Amino acid sequence: MPAVSSPEIPRPTASLGRSVRSTWTYTLGSIVFILVVLHFMLLSFAASTFTAKNDAVSGLLLLALVLAVALQVRYCWFLRAGLGGGLPRPVWTTAMVVTSGAVWVLGLITSDAGWIAAIPLWLAVSLVASLLPTRTRWLTVAAGVLSLLAFAAIRHYWMGQSDSLPEDSASRMLLAYSAGMPLLLISSLWWWRVVVELDRHRVMAGELAVAQERLRFAADLHDIQGHHLQVIALKSELAERLLDSNPEAARENIHETRLIAKQALEETRSLVAGYRETSLADELENAREVLTAAGADCELTLETLPADPAAQQALAMTVREATTNILRHSEATHATISLTSSEAEATLTIRNNGLNGTPSSMSLTDGTGLLGLLRRLETIGGTLETTLDTGHFELQARIPTRGIPA
């Protein structure tokens, strides 16, 4: 589907979150529903005309209207390009406009068809206009209005037929909703554009947060390594110069160089350890927020957190890996996270529904994520068990809260 040079909304991609895709499904469903209701009323009027006259022209009018309905409903799927997102292949637009135009022409020939024959072309113009740039869009809508006026003028002045406004409520509702179709389409696609942009800003905010953290870590690492490496270089150069003339002073500088290198190594390890350190409480809250943002109703049940820092670290890694596993291998709509703790051990249980693919993709025997986590837990005396049950996956980790090997 070719796009215009400056679309008002970037084309949605597969990277959109589930909630955004659900928003599009709801938007498309609403548009199709209203369009189908309008066309059902049009088909009812056309069928009544055909039944009353039972001639070839009325039959052609009914056939053309059925084709126009089918093409317009199919055309709605192209609206995903967004407001001003560009037209699909010309064959689709041409076929829809031509069939709707055929209803317009046949309506002039069949006197009993009345004003209803002008509506399909108006609806087709509304669909096309919503995919065009702003200026062209309103010109297209104006052309649609002219088609309605031309239809009424031809019937009145050339064919001597005058169509008054309908008195029954169904016909009035048909006219009202048909007249508001351009505004309905534009407002719906405008809302779709807002949702997509918000999702993109959410993703961008996450990427900026990661970039900021990387810059912070790089700055801290530069402050530590840059200073110490500069001193090491100077002392090494001085020791090299004094090696022949003053061996004792050279030896002293070499000794200081070794101490500085050791200090730099210790500070680097401390920095990395602090960077990797994970708070269990923060990890649990982050898991709930991430799963909720992904569209899952997440329940978090906590008792007292284990006091042992090593146990907390192991549980935090488990929560992180389990959350990643849910996002990667499922379309979960419900998840539960519970943590119980006693003097002897802590038990973490995470359960979700909506598995994707084969059940083996969530087992401990395939992939490196859960298997690697199992091995890490076994080194501290913990266990990890997984259970698959009618579309639900459960992970349970048991970790001793005291006496964890260092």
Side-chain angles (χ1 to χ4, degrees):
M1 184 188 300
V4 295
S5 58
S6 300
E8 296 185 28
I9 175 174
R11 192 179 313 276
T13 65
S15 63
L16 294 174
R18 181 193 304 151
S19 58
V20 181
R21 297 196 302 269
S22 299
T23 301
W24 167 246
T25 302
Y26 173 79
T27 303
L28 175 62
S30 301
I31 294 173
V32 170
F33 175 77
I34 294 176
L35 200 61
V36 167
V37 170
L38 296 179
H39 281 307
F40 177 78
M41 299 176 69
L42 289 173
L43 286 171
S44 298
F45 288 129
S48 300
T49 302
F50 176 71
T51 303
K53 300 193 67 174
N54 197 20
D55 60 350
V57 177
S58 299
L60 288 175
L61 174 65
L62 182 60
L63 177 61
L65 185 56
V66 170
L67 292 175
V69 170
L71 287 170
Q72 288 184 24
V73 171
R74 174 61 182 88
Y75 203 84
C76 288
W77 267 257
F78 299 122
L79 297 179
R80 185 165 182 173
L83 195 61
L87 299 177
R89 289 183 299 174
V91 62
W92 286 105
T93 304
T94 303
M96 181 181 66
V97 173
V98 167
T99 54
S100 301
V103 176
W104 190 90
V105 173
L106 291 170
L108 292 175
I109 301 174
T110 305
S111 58
D112 292 345
W115 49 267
I116 66 168
I119 294 180
L121 183 59
W122 167 252
L123 297 178
V125 168
S126 301
L127 289 169
V128 173
S130 62
L131 294 175
L132 296 174
T134 303
R135 182 177 179 181
T136 310
R137 177 188 312 143
W138 295 114
L139 290 176
T140 304
V141 172
V145 173
L146 289 178
S147 73
L148 296 175
L149 297 177
F151 186 86
I154 292 173
R155 286 179 60 84
H156 181 71
Y157 293 105
W158 290 0
M159 304 180 68
Q161 298 173 356
S162 178
D163 297 320
S164 59
L165 290 177
E167 297 180 358
D168 59 295
S169 58
S171 299
R172 289 181 178 273
M173 184 182 71
L174 174 59
L175 284 177
Y177 277 98
S178 298
M181 199 64 184
L183 293 179
L184 170 68
L185 291 171
I186 292 172
S187 61
S188 298
L189 295 184
W190 174 83
W191 171 248
W192 169 236
R193 177 181 64 188
V194 171
V195 171
V196 172
E197 288 299 319
L198 287 175
D199 187 71
R200 291 197 169 194
H201 292 166
R202 177 187 61 81
V203 174
M204 188 181 298
E207 293 175 352
L208 288 175
V210 172
Q212 278 187 329
E213 182 62 19
R214 287 176 178 172
L215 289 174
R216 184 197 67 80
F217 180 75
D220 291 345
L221 186 62
H222 176 269
D223 291 341
I224 293 174
Q225 296 288 0
H227 170 73
H228 289 301
L229 290 176
Q230 183 68 26
V231 176
I232 288 173
L234 292 174
K235 291 228 172 250
S236 299
E237 183 181 356
L238 181 59
E240 185 179 12
R241 291 178 180 178
L242 295 176
L243 193 59
D244 294 330
S245 60
N246 192 345
E248 288 298 325
R251 185 180 296 108
E252 181 65 24
N253 279 282
I254 292 174
H255 176 70
E256 292 179 1
T257 300
R258 181 179 65 82
L259 294 179
I260 294 171
K262 183 178 179 182
Q263 181 183 0
L265 180 60
E266 291 175 352
E267 291 184 6
T268 302
R269 286 175 175 172
S270 176
L271 173 64
V272 174
Y275 183 73
R276 290 180 176 174
E277 185 177 353
T278 305
S279 167
L280 175 57
D282 291 343
E283 201 66 46
L284 288 167
E285 188 61 33
N286 288 340
R288 177 166 63 179
E289 292 180 358
V290 168
L291 293 176
T292 300
D297 179 18
C298 185
E299 298 180 7
L300 182 60
T301 305
L302 302 179
E303 294 184 0
T304 305
L305 299 180
D308 194 315
Q312 288 201 22
Q313 184 70 13
L315 290 171
M317 289 191 304
T318 305
V319 171
R320 181 185 304 171
E321 181 61 38
T323 303
T324 302
N325 205 44
I326 293 174
L327 297 175
R328 183 179 300 170
H329 298 297
S330 75
E331 290 286 342
T333 58
H334 184 73
T336 59
I337 303 175
S338 62
L339 176 63
T340 60
S341 180
S342 65
E343 295 183 359
E345 69 175 11
T347 302
L348 174 68
T349 304
I350 301 177
R351 182 179 175 86
N352 68 277
N353 64 352
L355 297 188
N356 280 340
T358 59
S360 62
S361 64
M362 301 283 286
S363 67
L364 291 174
T365 57
D366 292 322
T368 58
L370 292 181
L371 186 59
L373 180 61
L374 171 63
R375 290 171 178 169
R376 287 196 296 268
L377 295 183
E378 287 179 343
T379 61
I380 61 173
T383 61
L384 183 66
E385 298 178 356
T386 60
T387 304
L388 289 167
D389 179 23
T390 61
H392 289 75
F393 178 77
E394 181 175 292
L395 178 146
Q396 187 174 83
R398 297 178 182 273
I399 299 173
T401 55
R402 57 186 178 184
I404 296 179

